[in-house]
Amino acid sequence: MSFLNQEEIQLTKEYTDSGYIIRDSAEISSIHYLRDIIVRAASKILNLEFPNNPELFLNTIHQKLAVKDLNSFRLSLIQSINEDSNFRFHYYQTAKPFLHTLVGNELSMQLRVNLSIQLPGDDSSLLPVHSDTWSGDSPYEVVVWIPLVDCYKTKAMYLLSPKNSQNLIDDFKNRAGQNSEELYQSISNEVEFLDIKYGQILVFDQGYPHGNRINEEQETRWSMNCRFKGVFTPYGDKKIGEFFEPITLRAQSRLGMNYKFPKSQ
Ligand SMILES: [Fe+2]
């Protein structure tokens, strides 16, 4: 029994079958807002003018930045992101209708948005294959992943499909190997690198194995990620208040939480 409408059923099926959906942003002006904040902060750190072509600027940042400076550069940018009081609002706007269908309309959002930068050939900022749930995240969390440049092949992230994840989990003892690289090799023919363009958003289930490889393309990858979950769904290691905060609580939930029964004496 489901009272979802046709459009919701379609999105739900696609997400459940693939472990992700990619859609044009629900609010393209919000994506531009996010990119502008980052490009402005990046050009300031590098003592450059705001570029005429932000996409080219981001794609070729490796020509202006040494690998050794990458992490401090990235951390400064994350600080700028999180100092902007509208950043998370616009982040949410990009995915709002998809989150409402797949997760719910009373949402908790991660307090700090993350930024990843993968320079071509750089092996210092790789994310080995993992599921966030394996290290304590709640299986009720989704990740909204937003690229700031077009991502394809090894410039993109990869995800293992629900079907292949099930096969892996059923035979985990034999396939896990001694380390995460051996685990990756056991699924390397099955993972899908998720092609996604600037202006689109990805929502994926972080409970399926995912990660990235050395970016072997000629351009730098820039992407942001942030978790969302239903406010009243179970929390894992990432708690409400310290990691998540409710962003769309509804009237009766607020009233219910504050409800007091009459005193009997
Ligand atoms: Fe992850």
Side-chain angles (χ1 to χ4, degrees):
M1 175 69 70
S2 171
F3 290 173
L4 297 178
N5 67 30
Q6 263 318 309
E7 200 182 332
E8 291 168 325
I9 290 168
Q10 168 57 34
L11 192 73
T12 299
K13 184 173 174 356
E14 184 180 332
Y15 183 77
T16 311
D17 290 350
S18 325
Y20 73 93
I21 53 129
I22 290 173
R23 288 290 185 279
D24 289 342
S25 166
E27 201 51 74
I28 192 68
S29 60
S30 286
I31 295 243
H32 293 328
Y33 180 93
L34 303 176
R35 189 179 69 173
D36 264 25
I37 295 285
I38 290 175
V39 170
R40 185 163 296 119
S43 34
K44 196 170 160 203
I45 294 168
L46 298 172
N47 279 320
L48 299 166
E49 298 275 301
F50 191 93
N52 293 327
N53 184 337
E55 189 158 8
L56 182 69
F57 171 77
L58 295 174
N59 268 323
T60 57
I61 203 82
H62 51 277
Q63 297 167 1
K64 305 169 188 75
L65 183 71
V67 172
K68 69 174 174 48
D69 300 326
L70 176 60
N71 203 41
S72 61
F73 177 69
R74 191 180 68 89
L75 293 176
S76 306
L77 291 176
I78 290 175
Q79 195 176 342
S80 308
I81 289 174
N82 289 296
E83 279 168 2
D84 184 273
S85 53
N86 295 317
F87 200 89
R88 288 168 66 249
F89 170 78
H90 285 289
Y91 203 102
Y92 166 62
Q93 293 304 313
T94 69
K96 178 176 168 179
F98 314 115
L99 288 170
H100 284 204
T101 297
L102 299 171
V103 184
N105 67 3
E106 284 190 294
L107 293 164
S108 273
M109 180 179 185
Q110 188 172 328
L111 284 161
R112 291 176 68 82
V113 171
N114 278 319
L115 175 71
S116 300
I117 306 171
Q118 249 87 44
L119 308 183
D122 173 28
D123 63 0
S124 69
S125 43
L126 296 182
L127 205 51
V129 58
H130 68 284
S131 293
D132 298 10
T133 44
W134 294 348
S135 51
D137 278 46
S138 162
Y140 294 83
E141 295 167 16
V142 301
V143 174
V144 174
W145 195 98
I146 305 181
L148 295 168
V149 289
D150 294 354
C151 296
Y152 52 90
K153 297 186 184 169
T154 56
K155 192 185 171 194
M157 63 162 275
Y158 66 79
L159 183 71
L160 190 65
S161 72
K163 189 168 152 277
N164 287 323
S165 294
Q166 191 57 52
N167 292 339
L168 173 67
I169 281 157
D170 289 346
D171 192 25
F172 200 76
K173 256 208 318 222
N174 291 322
R175 294 181 59 185
Q178 299 300 310
N179 53 45
S180 59
E181 183 57 25
E182 287 186 19
L183 173 58
Y184 177 76
Q185 289 308 329
S186 81
I187 57 170
S188 60
N189 294 328
E190 297 168 0
V191 299
E192 182 186 1
F193 284 83
L194 305 178
D195 272 23
I196 180 167
K197 293 201 161 21
Y198 174 67
Q200 297 184 309
I201 58 118
L202 159 69
V203 183
F204 74 93
D205 181 343
Q206 44 71 36
Y208 296 119
H210 57 278
N212 64 295
R213 303 294 288 172
I214 292 179
N215 174 6
E216 286 165 0
E217 316 316 317
Q218 301 301 309
E219 299 165 338
T220 295
R221 184 246 269 193
W222 290 72
S223 62
M224 301 173 289
N225 64 80
C226 186
R227 294 176 179 79
F228 293 83
K229 68 193 290 297
V231 172
F232 297 106
T233 57
Y235 288 78
D237 288 352
K238 296 184 166 75
K239 307 287 187 212
I240 195 162
E242 58 196 47
F243 192 91
F244 284 105
E245 73 175 0
I247 55 165
T248 51
L249 266 186
R250 306 293 154 150
Q252 196 57 41
S253 296
R254 277 185 203 283
L255 293 167
M257 287 190 294
N258 294 319
Y259 182 78
K260 299 220 174 17
F261 283 96
K263 288 189 176 144
S264 54
Q265 292 176 347

